[in-house]
Amino acid sequence: MQILGVDHLEKWVEQFTEGAFLTSLFMIVGQVLLAIIAFIIARSIGKKVISGSFKKVENQKNMSPGRVKTLEKLSINAFSYVLIFVFITIMISIFGLDPTGLIAGAGVVGLAIGFGAQGLVSDVVTGFFLLLEKQIDVDDYVTTGGVDGVVEEVGLRTTKIRGFDGTLHYIPNRGISNVSNHSRGNMRALVDISISYEDNIDEAITVLQTVCDKIAAEDNTIKEGPNVLGVQGLGNSDVVIRVIAKTENMQQWAVERKLRKVLKEALVANNIEIPYPHQILIQKNSQ
């Protein structure tokens, strides 16, 4: 490396003494700019080609949108890594260095990773099986690695999960020891509502079921129910009645909010009391 550096230094000095230094510098700068422009264009075209290809596959093979997004992002990442490696090789060639050394070095680095970076290898292997077994896809609601949220990207090294508070979690794949996928099938919407001990339970159940039937006819996201199961519990000052329904994925919370509203309004309209804490003030007259 020292001899190579001396030879290049002598060439630069020789070019400078011959008055061709500026010409050589402009040529190198021009080649670098062309390489950068080519890199940007190739990356843009490559992403469009990959995205277009997966859209065709989605239409032809009826793949789920989440699965298509997962494989699309993974392919774009792999393409970007290869393109960056080619770009670095070209840049080295522009400055007169031998790129074969870089290629040979990549093999040595790969061997070193195999022996020394077990964590990285574990990430890649785990990510591969996550994709192969279709455990999670983009837009799935999952709980894994101590966090829960919606999957934004599944890579060979890390998985990105967006929490419901907006936090983006980067989870190394080796940290995914188990996955709870909440997006495979219909979800449950559950609402508990209370009435007082003085009210008629059968009448309350009839009122609530009537409202549930009306909601089921209006809301297409409800796949089953809602059904009034009956008395769920007896509290200190209330009788708890449980309502349950099956909904589309990610719609369970919206259905629960809607049920709480209409059930409360129905009870009030039928003069059925919903217990709430009361404060009683007792005054003693000291005479």
Side-chain angles (χ1 to χ4, degrees), residues 37 73 170 181 231 244:
I37 294 172
K73 289 188 176 182
Y170 293 83
N181 194 322
V231 177
I244 193 170

Side-chain angles (χ1 to χ4, degrees), residues 2 6 11 22 28 44 57 102 112 117 136 161 163 171 174-175 192 218 240:
Q2 292 180 351
V6 172
K11 290 181 179 179
L22 291 179
I28 292 175
S44 177
V57 171
L102 176 65
I136 56 177
I161 297 178
I171 303 177
R174 64 179 178 273
D192 287 336
E218 296 174 351
V240 181

Side-chain angles (χ1 to χ4, degrees), residues 140-144 147-151 161-164 169 182 250:
D140 281 355
Y141 165 41
V142 301
T143 300
T144 185
V147 300
D148 64 333
V150 178
V151 179
I161 297 178
R162 178 77 64 178
F164 292 107
H169 302 278
H182 309 289
M250 305 298 290

Side-chain angles (χ1 to χ4, degrees), residues 77-93:
N77 285 338
F79 170 74
S80 299
Y81 292 146
V82 173
L83 194 61
I84 290 173
F85 181 79
V86 173
F87 175 74
I88 293 174
T89 303
I90 293 174
M91 293 295 291
I92 289 176
S93 300

Side-chain angles (χ1 to χ4, degrees), residues 131-200:
L131 296 169
L132 181 65
E133 298 174 359
K134 301 180 181 179
Q135 296 181 22
I136 56 177
D137 287 326
V138 173
D139 293 335
D140 281 355
Y141 165 41
V142 301
T143 300
T144 185
V147 300
D148 64 333
V150 178
V151 179
E152 287 201 352
E153 184 177 326
V154 181
L156 285 176
R157 196 180 68 84
T158 59
T159 296
K160 299 178 184 179
I161 297 178
R162 178 77 64 178
F164 292 107
D165 61 351
T167 304
L168 182 60
H169 302 278
Y170 293 83
I171 303 177
N173 289 336
R174 64 179 178 273
I176 302 177
S177 58
N178 57 71
V179 178
S180 299
N181 194 322
H182 309 289
S183 297
R184 302 292 169 86
N186 295 329
M187 299 300 292
R188 183 185 71 176
L190 186 149
V191 173
D192 287 336
I193 193 162
S194 299
I195 63 172
S196 68
Y197 278 100
E198 288 76 19
D199 289 303
N200 186 290

Side-chain angles (χ1 to χ4, degrees), residues 1-244:
M1 293 297 295
Q2 292 180 351
I3 297 175
L4 184 62
V6 172
D7 291 340
H8 280 282
L9 180 61
E10 291 177 353
K11 290 181 179 179
W12 279 89
V13 173
E14 183 180 352
Q15 290 175 349
F16 180 76
T17 55
E18 292 176 354
F21 176 77
L22 291 179
T23 303
S24 177
L25 179 61
F26 287 141
M27 290 181 62
I28 292 175
V29 171
Q31 290 176 347
V32 170
L33 291 176
L34 287 175
I36 294 174
I37 294 172
F39 171 78
I40 295 173
I41 294 174
R43 183 177 60 179
S44 177
I45 295 175
K47 287 182 179 180
K48 289 182 180 179
V49 170
I50 292 173
S51 299
S53 300
F54 277 102
K55 287 181 180 179
K56 292 180 180 179
V57 171
E58 180 181 4
N59 296 330
Q60 293 174 357
K61 297 188 177 182
N62 295 323
M63 294 176 63
S64 64
R67 186 65 179 170
V68 171
K69 288 181 181 178
T70 302
L71 297 176
E72 178 183 344
K73 289 188 176 182
L74 180 63
S75 300
I76 290 175
N77 285 338
F79 170 74
S80 299
Y81 292 146
V82 173
L83 194 61
I84 290 173
F85 181 79
V86 173
F87 175 74
I88 293 174
T89 303
I90 293 174
M91 293 295 291
I92 289 176
S93 300
I94 290 175
F95 286 97
L97 300 176
D98 188 4
T100 56
L102 176 65
I103 298 174
V108 175
V109 170
L111 186 61
I113 290 175
F115 285 105
Q118 292 91 349
L120 180 59
V121 175
S122 178
D123 286 338
V124 174
V125 172
T126 305
F128 173 78
F129 283 105
L130 284 174
L131 296 169
L132 181 65
E133 298 174 359
K134 301 180 181 179
Q135 296 181 22
I136 56 177
D137 287 326
V138 173
D139 293 335
D140 281 355
Y141 165 41
V142 301
T143 300
T144 185
V147 300
D148 64 333
V150 178
V151 179
E152 287 201 352
E153 184 177 326
V154 181
L156 285 176
R157 196 180 68 84
T158 59
T159 296
K160 299 178 184 179
I161 297 178
R162 178 77 64 178
F164 292 107
D165 61 351
T167 304
L168 182 60
H169 302 278
Y170 293 83
I171 303 177
N173 289 336
R174 64 179 178 273
I176 302 177
S177 58
N178 57 71
V179 178
S180 299
N181 194 322
H182 309 289
S183 297
R184 302 292 169 86
N186 295 329
M187 299 300 292
R188 183 185 71 176
L190 186 149
V191 173
D192 287 336
I193 193 162
S194 299
I195 63 172
S196 68
Y197 278 100
E198 288 76 19
D199 289 303
N200 186 290
I201 295 176
D202 292 331
E203 179 186 355
I205 291 176
T206 301
V207 169
L208 295 177
Q209 188 62 59
T210 301
V211 176
C212 288
D213 294 339
K214 182 179 179 181
I215 289 295
E218 296 174 351
D219 195 335
N220 294 328
T221 63
I222 298 177
K223 298 303 180 182
E224 183 181 330
N227 297 314
V228 182
L229 299 184
V231 177
Q232 178 64 24
L234 301 175
N236 293 329
S237 59
D238 61 342
V239 178
V240 181
I241 298 177
R242 172 158 292 183
V243 180
I244 193 170

